């Protein structure tokens, strides 16, 4: 009987496996030796696809950027609606892969999906009438906000222990021990609150631009 063939090693398979490893165990778990073991291949075989571990991390980061929906910048949605819908999609991708956020936070560099994302946002804002300098600032501030929201859970940062928040020391944190149980709800609400406030402010600036035109 013929022995079963191992799946062929490919760039996509390497990236998918590396992403799963980072998702489950964090950035420090990824090494070429560990990745090769997960793939069932020898370490040197990875170098036919990637020269360094950093290149693998860059590819993993770009695979997450590629999950962000950009259709809202192409289907005629108003700039504010498009920014809102894109921010929600972007945060969802980062929420699913939080351990890669520090790599993404460095900026797109030469990563194709990351550059397409930046290009789509900037292009849509300029087309909507924002001056290029302000369009650049909008892309930056949106990235700061979305990345920041993905770096950690506010609600999850409190322990489920009422004794940790003595009213004598923290008179306003009497209910803080309950936050962890509602982590997703609280974090989603906080994100929407911040996003709405941010977009309201931009809408005021946009109205001023229109009046000055």
């Amino acid at each position: 009987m013929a022995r079963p063939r191992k799946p062929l090693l490919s760039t996509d398979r390497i990236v998918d496996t590396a992403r799963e490893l980072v998702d489950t165990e964090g950035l420090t778990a990824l090494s070429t030796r560990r990745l090769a073991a997960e793939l069932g291949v020898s370490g040197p075989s990875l170098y036919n696809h990637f020269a360094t571990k950093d290149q693998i991390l860059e590819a993993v980061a770009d695979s997450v950027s590629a999950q962000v929906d950009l259709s809202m910048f192409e289907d005629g949605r108003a700039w504010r609606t498009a920014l809102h819908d894109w921010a929600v999609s972007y945060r969802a991708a980062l929420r699913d892969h939080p351990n890669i956020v520090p790599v993404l936070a460095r900026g797109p560099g030469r990563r194709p999906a990351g550059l397409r994302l930046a290009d789509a946002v900037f292009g849509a804002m300029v087309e909507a009438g924002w001056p290029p300098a302000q369009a650049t600032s909008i892309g930056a501030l949106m990235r700061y906000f979305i990345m920041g929201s993905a770096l950690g859970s506010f609600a999850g940062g409190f322990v489920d222990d009422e004794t940790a928040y003595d009213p004598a020391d923290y008179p306003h944190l009497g209910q803080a021990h309950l936050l962890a149980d509602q982590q997703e709800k609280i974090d989603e609400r906080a994100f929407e609150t911040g996003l709405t406030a941010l977009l309201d402010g931009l809408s005021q600036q946009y109205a001023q631009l229109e009046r000055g035109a």
Side-chain angles (χ1 to χ4, degrees):
M1 179 181 295
R3 292 191 301 176
R5 296 176 58 189
K6 291 182 179 179
L8 292 175
L9 191 61
S10 66
T11 298
D12 286 345
R13 185 169 169 242
I14 293 171
V15 171
D16 290 346
T17 303
R19 187 175 59 243
E20 291 173 8
L21 186 57
V22 171
D23 284 346
T24 56
E25 299 185 35
L27 288 170
T28 58
L30 183 64
S31 67
T32 53
R33 178 179 296 181
R34 175 68 186 282
L35 182 56
E38 293 288 328
L39 290 162
V41 301
S42 63
S45 63
L46 296 177
Y47 298 119
N48 294 323
H49 301 270
F50 295 99
T52 65
K53 185 186 84 169
D54 284 344
Q55 286 187 3
I56 297 172
L57 277 174
E58 288 289 298
V60 169
D62 212 36
S63 73
V64 173
S65 293
Q67 297 175 14
V68 181
D69 183 16
L70 299 177
S71 65
M72 63 284 298
F73 298 119
E74 303 168 353
D75 61 12
R77 272 175 259 190
W79 69 266
R80 175 180 173 136
T81 302
L83 273 185
H84 174 277
D85 296 348
W86 167 71
V88 170
S89 177
Y90 200 174
R91 180 172 180 266
L94 300 187
R95 186 183 56 214
D96 290 343
H97 308 282
N99 291 335
I100 199 65
V101 171
V103 179
L104 285 164
R106 299 172 192 165
R110 297 176 182 271
R111 298 192 297 266
L115 289 170
R116 284 193 293 271
L117 188 155
D119 181 73
V121 176
F122 177 79
M125 295 305 100
V126 171
E127 186 175 342
W130 288 97
Q134 286 176 277
T136 299
S137 296
I138 290 170
L141 73 89
M142 293 295 290
R143 192 169 72 85
Y144 298 152
F145 175 69
I146 298 165
M147 291 281 182
S149 74
L151 285 174
S153 165
F154 171 81
F158 293 88
V159 298
D160 184 14
D161 179 3
E162 187 173 5
T163 63
Y165 308 106
D166 189 330
D169 296 321
Y170 316 107
H172 305 296
L173 296 181
Q175 302 297 308
H177 65 287
L178 302 175
L179 294 176
D181 285 340
Q182 303 181 60
Q183 177 177 328
E184 184 174 350
K185 178 181 178 181
I186 292 170
D187 290 345
E188 288 287 341
R189 187 172 62 209
F191 179 77
E192 280 293 338
T193 299
L195 183 57
T196 298
L198 189 156
L199 294 174
D200 282 349
L202 288 177
S203 293
Q204 291 180 13
Q205 292 185 33
Y206 189 75
Q208 292 173 358
L209 281 175
E210 290 188 309
R211 286 195 296 269

